[in-house]
């Protein structure tokens, strides 16, 4: 189980592509200690209910390091709750408790790096690339670029095995490959890119993106052939799903029984991009103080068990985020059942590039 705790909707950046800029527009609310503790308890209970062997707690925002105190409290409380569950026999001694943080990296210092190292945190770092590329969209409240605030910490992020998350907008499209290569050269061994589907991508934009993906695919292949186990999720995931004959909903989509996203007010959601403290919202799965709404949870389970009518007969539907990913569907169409033509076009293009690469690799 992955518990995602939105500690605060406040953020010190104003990234142009932020998918919370509407659902968390006020950027004011914070999670209190009672909600934090109850969220951890209910997530552990849910983990036990599904007979799972680990609980991963991801500290999220906004920018979670604005609530560094809550991260410290959450870690200590979670360790105590898990220890009690082990002592009472509710979970085995082999049960794993893990921690992660999604961050823009601007508020890190040596103290927090040391804490992450001590507690074996997985760090997910939003870093689009070198300064010129990164500062296109990742800007401060005052409108200045944020790269300088991260730059000095990049070596330690890489040393701790941080996963670099790079978002691609139409303004970035011509320099994606160079940015991916630069990130790898800084020491990041795991990174992925995700597209900001804003409804304005043109065929010309997708042609440019395809060229960049082709370069990324060949670069990833060259790295692997040299023995460099560089993980580039953009390419790697499409290829792996084909090789293991699986689908995204089994491989990486964790809605229903694999993820709980908790908003600052304690409302629970099926995954990260749904999270908001806004009372007028969709897909609320319950509240940490009142428990799960099993009828709402069943709607998500039915999503996992059914194919979208629009995708019937499509040979890549199980490798396609437009069909498989509830989060992507929700933020591009407003519903988990929707299919974005923009995402569909992207997925067909990327699948074709990855299939071509796989054929080349099979010939060697």
């Amino acid at each position: 189980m992955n518990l995602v705790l939105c500690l605060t909707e406040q953020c010190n950046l104003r990234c142009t592509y932020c998918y919370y800029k509407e659902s968390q527009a006020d950027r004011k609310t914070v999670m209190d200690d009672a909600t934090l503790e109850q969220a951890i308890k209910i997530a552990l209970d849910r983990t036990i209910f599904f007979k799972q062997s680990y609980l991963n707690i991801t500290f999220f925002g906004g920018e979670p390091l604005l609530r560094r105190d809550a991260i410290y409290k959450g870690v200590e409380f979670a360790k105590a709750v898990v220890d009690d569950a082990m002592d009472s026999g509710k979970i085995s001694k082999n049960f794993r408790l893990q921690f992660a943080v999604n961050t823009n990296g601007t508020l890190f210092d040596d103290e927090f790096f040391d804490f992450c190292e001590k507690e074996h945190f997985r760090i997910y770092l939003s870093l689009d690339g070198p300064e010129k590329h990164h500062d296109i969209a990742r800007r401060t409240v005052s409108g200045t670029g944020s790269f300088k605030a991260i730059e000095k910490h990049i070596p330690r992020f890489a040393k701790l095995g941080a996963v670099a998350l790079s978002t691609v907008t139409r303004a970035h499209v011509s320099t994606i490959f160079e940015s991916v290569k630069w990130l790898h050269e800084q020491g990041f061994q795991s990174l992925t890119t995700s597209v900001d589907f804003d409804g304005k991508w043109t065929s010309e934009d997708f042609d440019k993106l395809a060229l960049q993906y082709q370069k990324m695919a060949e670069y990833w292949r060259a790295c692997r052939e040299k023995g460099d186990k560089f993980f580039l999720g953009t390419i790697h995931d499409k290829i792996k799903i084909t090789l293991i004959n699986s689908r995204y909903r089994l491989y990486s989509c964790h809605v229903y029984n694999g993820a709980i996203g908790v908003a600052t007010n304690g409302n629970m959601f099926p995954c990260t991009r749904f999270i908001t403290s806004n009372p007028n919202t969709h897909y609320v799965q319950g509240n940490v103080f009142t428990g799960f709404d099993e009828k709402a949870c069943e709607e998500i389970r039915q999503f996992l068990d059914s194919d979208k009518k629009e995708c019937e007969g499509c040979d890549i539907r199980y490798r396609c985020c437009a069909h498989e990913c509830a989060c992507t569907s929700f933020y591009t169409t407003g519903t988990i059942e929707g299919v974005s033509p923009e995402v569909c076009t992207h997925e067909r293009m990327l699948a074709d590039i990855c299939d071509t690469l796989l054929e080349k690799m099979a010939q060697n």
Side-chain angles (χ1 to χ4, degrees):
M1 182 67 70
N2 183 32
L3 171 64
V4 181
L5 295 170
C6 181
L7 300 179
T8 177
E9 292 185 358
Q10 298 170 347
C11 189
N12 60 326
L13 298 187
R14 293 295 182 269
C15 303
T16 60
Y17 50 63
C18 179
Y19 49 75
Y20 293 124
K21 60 187 173 187
E22 293 180 4
S23 63
Q24 298 181 11
D26 291 342
R27 302 181 189 273
K28 291 180 180 179
T29 64
V30 298
M31 181 179 287
D32 61 31
D33 290 350
T35 305
L36 172 71
E37 293 177 1
Q38 186 60 26
I40 293 170
K41 285 194 250 184
I42 201 170
L44 180 59
D45 288 343
R46 198 68 166 177
T47 304
I48 294 170
F49 174 78
F50 283 119
K51 296 181 173 58
Q52 295 169 347
S53 60
Y54 73 94
L55 173 62
N56 181 77
I57 299 176
T58 300
F59 297 102
F60 204 74
E63 172 48 48
L65 264 73
L66 290 170
R67 293 295 318 285
R68 192 184 296 202
D69 61 318
I71 297 176
Y72 293 150
K73 290 176 183 176
V75 167
E76 291 308 310
F77 184 79
K79 290 194 290 188
V81 169
V82 167
D83 284 346
D84 287 345
M86 283 183 178
D87 292 342
S88 64
K90 291 182 179 179
I91 56 177
S92 78
K93 296 295 182 180
N94 295 324
F95 187 89
R96 291 178 291 125
L97 175 64
Q98 303 163 172
F99 301 105
V101 61
N102 272 72
T103 178
N104 61 39
T106 61
L107 302 178
F108 266 68
D109 56 24
D110 288 340
E111 177 189 302
F112 198 75
F113 271 119
D114 291 344
F115 172 76
C116 288
E117 190 167 8
K118 173 177 173 286
E119 299 295 345
H120 307 289
F121 263 61
R122 185 71 156 167
I123 301 171
Y124 295 92
L125 174 67
S126 295
L127 179 59
D128 288 343
E131 184 172 6
K132 186 176 180 180
H133 186 91
H134 178 88
D135 284 347
I136 290 173
R138 303 195 61 78
R139 308 185 75 80
T140 66
V141 175
S142 63
T144 59
S146 62
F147 182 84
K148 290 296 187 187
I150 309 171
E151 185 176 20
K152 67 179 180 180
H153 296 308
I154 286 175
R156 193 158 186 195
F157 276 122
K159 182 180 179 182
L160 289 181
V163 179
L165 307 176
S166 177
T167 301
V168 179
T169 72
R170 288 172 291 111
H172 295 91
V173 74
S174 297
T175 54
I176 304 165
F177 166 65
E178 289 302 325
S179 294
V180 165
K181 186 170 179 286
W182 179 87
L183 286 164
H184 186 214
E185 289 169 347
Q186 306 314 300
F188 290 99
Q189 280 297 109
S190 182
L191 71 95
T192 194
T193 64
S194 59
V195 173
D196 173 34
F197 295 110
D198 62 356
K200 299 177 182 178
W201 284 75
T202 66
S203 58
E204 183 181 354
D205 292 328
F206 278 123
D207 286 344
K208 292 178 181 177
L209 182 59
L211 179 60
Q212 296 295 308
Y213 279 165
Q214 288 165 1
K215 292 179 179 180
M216 287 163 55
E218 289 298 335
Y219 180 74
W220 176 80
R221 174 193 178 191
C223 289
R224 306 290 285 197
E225 289 178 349
K226 290 187 294 185
D228 181 348
K229 295 183 179 180
F230 171 50
F231 176 85
L232 179 56
T234 320
I235 307 300
H236 180 277
D237 287 346
K238 280 276 190 291
I239 287 179
K240 185 170 182 179
I241 287 172
T242 300
L243 290 174
I244 65 175
N245 193 29
S246 187
R247 60 186 296 182
Y248 272 119
R249 291 182 189 175
L250 297 175
Y251 175 70
S252 62
C253 180
H254 303 299
V255 294
Y256 180 63
N257 64 352
I260 305 169
V262 182
T264 55
N265 61 0
N267 279 347
M268 297 184 288
F269 295 88
C271 204
T272 55
R273 294 199 180 188
F274 299 85
I275 299 174
T276 176
S277 63
N278 188 332
N280 301 313
T281 191
H282 303 286
Y283 302 109
V284 178
Q285 307 288 283
N287 187 278
V288 297
F289 294 106
T290 57
F292 284 92
D293 178 345
E294 295 299 344
K295 184 178 179 181
C297 293
E298 177 63 15
E299 180 181 2
I300 300 299
R301 191 192 66 77
Q302 289 180 4
F303 163 81
L304 288 173
D305 289 347
S306 59
D307 286 354
K308 296 180 180 180
K309 290 183 179 180
E310 294 174 67
C311 303
E312 287 181 1
C314 176
D315 58 353
I316 70 158
R317 64 187 182 279
Y318 297 143
R319 293 188 291 153
C320 173
C321 288
H323 181 271
E324 295 286 279
C325 179
C327 274
T328 300
S329 294
F330 176 67
Y331 97 87
T332 55
T333 71
T335 171
I336 61 174
E337 292 85 12
V339 176
S340 162
E342 202 171 62
V343 180
C344 182
T345 298
H346 172 271
E347 293 296 286
R348 284 185 175 279
M349 174 260 289
L350 180 55
D352 183 61
I353 290 169
C354 291
D355 288 348
T356 300
L357 178 67
L358 192 55
E359 290 174 6
K360 291 180 180 178
M361 294 173 71
Q363 293 170 1
N364 289 347

